[in-house]
Amino acid sequence: PFENTMTWSHTNITNDEAPETIQLRLFNNNDEILKEVTLSGVQTEYKFTNLIPATNYSVFLSVSNVDGTRSFDETIPFTTKTSEPSISSVSLIRTDIEEFIISLKFDYLGATNINRIVIALRPINTNDKKYIHNVKLSNGDSVLEYFIEVDIDDRDYAQKELEFKIIVTNSDEINTSSKWIKETTEPLVSPSQASFISITTDSVTLVIQLPTIGTPPILDVSFTFTSTSHTHTHNVSGSYGIGDHIRVTVGGGRRGVDLKGGNRYMVTARARNFVGWSRFSNTTGFITMSHVPLPSSAPAEESLPIWAIILSGVIPCIAFIILAITTILFVCLIKKYQTRTKGYSLTTGSDLQADKNKLDHSPGELKSTDS
């Protein structure tokens, strides 16, 4: 911190004739009193400390006699020298996966204003390239606090935890820099409870909302499925933003989760960022569809084997064919018999008696006699 020493002397008097008190008041450029001291009349100097470089001040000096009357008043202006800027605090906070806000505060600027701010970023514990962001203030700026938005536009780069460094230059072209500082990270709150879109005998599709508070990116999401007989964990990796909704399908032959039909499963989820894992979400459950048909009021018919189904259709056809052939054969036999008896007639009993009478009365007929 800068300091300034004020000195003065008494003329044409001895110490015995010195004034009773000397009062000093230090003012800033806005005429605000920064400090006020009262000294004995024999003192001839005073040091003001913790002053800001390149800043205008003024000191009001007042001399009072024993009787309390002021014998001398004077205001003395001065300006502290320039120096390098003094950084009070700095932090880097993510607002999205690739977006950051730099918070930068100065104790003093070291000159009239700040002309340029350079931000360098790099992944922690790696030798990857730096990302440089320049902020040039064309007219300079004399404020002591800055909020700078940075978008690195590199998702792969942003998936790594970063550290940063600030280099500032004031209007006198004097610069200073911070050390490499790790980005400020905040733990995640729990994800939302899962909601289910579709459920089958061995799979489920669900949706959750990722944590709405914490530092992005969200790097991993873990789902735990627990039934009475077994537990499965399904992990999803990526680069997600705060509050994103993700849809996940597990089971159905997919690697890692083997859901069983007709089972109840309880589901929880948690998420991880650079800080670590969040707490688990609230638990919710679902029941996979059963492989066994649901009971009904009427007994279900047993399914027949394929050969029985085929025979059930073939046998009536064969019976019909046999009946048709039998009918045709019968008709043919009748026709054949009628053909053989053609030209012959049947004689009745009365016709035979008439013939007999004719023979009895015919001439030369033979008669039988008793012998």
Side-chain angles (χ1 to χ4, degrees):
F2 273 39
E3 58 188 31
N4 184 38
T5 301
M6 298 284 299
T7 61
W8 59 91
S9 63
H10 303 296
T11 59
N12 301 323
I13 61 173
T14 65
N15 285 341
D16 294 336
E17 300 172 323
E20 180 71 15
T21 60
I22 297 175
Q23 189 177 53
L24 300 176
R25 292 176 185 168
L26 178 67
F27 293 86
N28 63 14
N29 203 37
N30 295 322
D31 291 329
E32 298 171 333
I33 298 177
L34 302 178
K35 193 167 187 177
E36 185 172 5
V37 293
T38 301
L39 309 173
S40 68
V42 297
Q43 288 184 250
T44 59
E45 70 175 32
Y46 182 81
K47 182 185 291 185
F48 289 100
T49 60
N50 296 321
L51 303 181
I52 298 174
T55 303
N56 295 324
Y57 294 95
S58 61
V59 175
F60 175 77
L61 185 146
S62 175
V63 178
S64 298
N65 295 326
V66 176
D67 59 3
T69 61
R70 289 189 298 184
S71 61
F72 181 82
D73 291 334
E74 186 174 356
T75 299
I76 305 99
F78 68 93
T79 302
T80 52
K81 294 181 179 180
T82 61
S83 72
E84 66 182 32
S86 174
I87 297 174
S88 171
S89 65
V90 61
S91 63
L92 181 145
I93 300 173
R94 293 201 195 211
T95 56
D96 205 343
I97 298 173
E98 303 170 18
E99 297 175 1
F100 305 81
I101 289 183
I102 303 289
S103 173
L104 175 61
K105 293 181 180 180
F106 293 95
D107 290 318
Y108 50 82
L109 306 181
T112 306
N113 49 44
I114 296 295
N115 282 355
R116 185 169 61 255
I117 301 173
V118 177
I119 303 163
L121 297 103
R122 69 183 183 187
I124 290 176
N125 300 324
T126 68
N127 293 320
D128 287 358
K129 64 180 181 180
K130 298 176 186 176
Y131 182 88
I132 303 298
H133 182 80
N134 279 286
V135 180
K136 188 172 182 181
L137 307 172
S138 57
N139 298 322
D141 205 335
S142 59
V143 298
L144 295 177
E145 185 173 6
Y146 294 82
F147 294 96
I148 306 165
E149 294 182 357
V150 180
D151 187 348
I152 66 175
D153 196 24
D154 188 334
R155 201 174 188 88
D156 292 336
Y157 194 90
Q159 288 186 28
K160 303 169 184 176
E161 191 173 8
L162 302 178
E163 60 183 359
F164 69 102
K165 185 176 185 179
I166 301 290
I167 304 99
V168 294
T169 305
N170 64 19
S171 54
D172 287 343
E173 292 300 317
I174 301 174
N175 60 54
T176 189
S177 63
S178 68
K179 297 179 180 179
W180 285 99
I181 304 170
K182 183 179 176 182
E183 67 172 290
T184 302
T185 53
E186 184 179 2
L188 298 168
V189 298
S190 302
S192 72
Q193 179 176 287
S195 58
F196 306 104
I197 296 177
S198 66
I199 302 170
T200 68
T201 56
D202 62 351
S203 70
V204 62
T205 298
L206 55 85
V207 172
I208 66 165
Q209 184 181 18
L210 297 178
T212 55
I213 297 176
T215 300
I218 295 174
L219 305 171
D220 295 290
V221 183
S222 178
F223 299 88
T224 301
F225 298 82
T226 304
S227 70
T228 55
S229 59
H230 55 283
T231 298
H232 289 294
T233 300
H234 180 71
N235 294 320
V236 179
S237 297
S239 184
Y240 304 101
I242 296 299
D244 284 356
H245 289 78
I246 64 170
R247 173 174 173 162
V248 178
T249 299
V250 297
R254 294 170 178 82
R255 187 176 180 181
V257 177
D258 182 22
L259 302 181
K260 306 295 184 182
N263 280 6
R264 174 182 288 276
Y265 290 89
M266 306 308 294
V267 183
T268 58
R270 59 178 182 161
R272 183 181 73 86
N273 65 356
F274 294 130
V275 179
W277 288 99
S278 71
R279 293 184 178 182
F280 283 98
S281 66
N282 292 334
T283 303
T284 185
F286 67 95
I287 300 176
T288 52
M289 297 177 63
S290 176
H291 293 285
V292 180
L294 296 175
S296 60
S297 57
E301 295 182 1
E302 293 185 5
S303 58
L304 297 175
I306 188 66
W307 60 266
I309 296 174
I310 294 174
L311 287 180
S312 65
V314 171
I315 290 175
C317 293
I318 295 174
F320 177 81
I321 293 172
I322 293 173
L323 179 61
I325 293 174
T326 303
T327 302
I328 293 171
L329 290 175
F330 181 76
V331 172
C332 291
L333 288 175
I334 291 176
K335 288 185 178 181
K336 186 175 181 181
Y337 177 79
Q338 289 177 344
T339 302
R340 289 182 178 178
T341 57
K342 190 175 182 180
Y344 298 91
S345 62
L346 296 175
T347 305
T348 63
S350 58
D351 291 335
L352 292 175
Q353 183 62 40
D355 291 339
K356 181 176 182 297
N357 292 335
K358 287 180 181 180
L359 290 174
D360 290 339
H361 295 91
S362 296
E365 66 181 345
L366 297 176
K367 296 183 179 179
S368 62
T369 58
D370 297 331
S371 43

